[in-house]
Each structure stands twice: as C-alpha cells, then as structure tokens.
Amino acid sequence: MTVPCYETLAAYNSAHPAAPMSEDATVRAGLRRYTAASAGLKDDLSGAGSGFTIDFLPGGAPADGEPDRTGAVVATRWGAGPYLVLATGVSLRWARNRIVGSWPTTLAHAAGALTGRP
C-alpha cells in the first residue's frame, strides 16, 4: 500500500488546504487524535520508524454532540514530519470510530480500517 507522504508541514498544508494542520504545537496537542495508548503506531508503510499518531483534520475528531466534519486522516510523529495521508474526503467521526474500533498498532492496519468508506 502506498500513501501520499509529505516531508514538511507546509508541503502537506499546501496540498490539502481543506484539511490543514495547525503550525502551532499547542493547538495540535489539543486535538482529539489516536495514539495507540500513547505508545504510537509503527510505520510499516514508508519505513520512517515508529511513534506515529493519527490526526483527524481539520480540527481533530469531533466529540459526541459536536457536528461531524469531512476531512483527512494523517499520520505524523506527534505533529511533526513525515506527514502520511491515510484517507481524504472522509467523515472524521466515521474515521475515528473505525480507527478506535480496530485498535491498530501499525499504520497499515490503520489505513486498512479506513477502507470500505460509507
């Protein structure tokens, strides 16, 4: 499986203006994301190592009671590069539910959970 990969935040944001990631680390840290129990996910897609989180952009995954948004699912090293795009144009609520429901520990497993979009 090949996923789009961006080395810098500016490159990712330029390619995905409808689902940007904040340049502010404090803002990024406040987003609802998936971290595999704070251990981070292993990158078995690009070979960049381990310690990846999954961000739901823009704005993080919506909480219960918040309106859903459409956006992108992006794996990062806690908001730093590389930026691996696992899905675009998806319901962020649906994507978070699929990810959390499958409890992935690798990026390939997370990307696989996002197949079969509604």
Side-chain angles (χ1 to χ4, degrees), residues 1 6 10 37-38 47 54 56 60 73 77 81 98 105 110:
M1 171 184 298
Y6 302 90
S38 298
I54 297 177
F56 304 90
V73 181
R77 283 194 174 143
R98 294 287 295 214
T105 58

Side-chain angles (χ1 to χ4, degrees), residues 37-61:
S38 298
L41 290 87
K42 180 179 180 195
D43 176 11
D44 54 349
L45 295 177
S46 75
S50 59
F52 278 75
T53 63
I54 297 177
D55 290 296
F56 304 90
L57 302 170

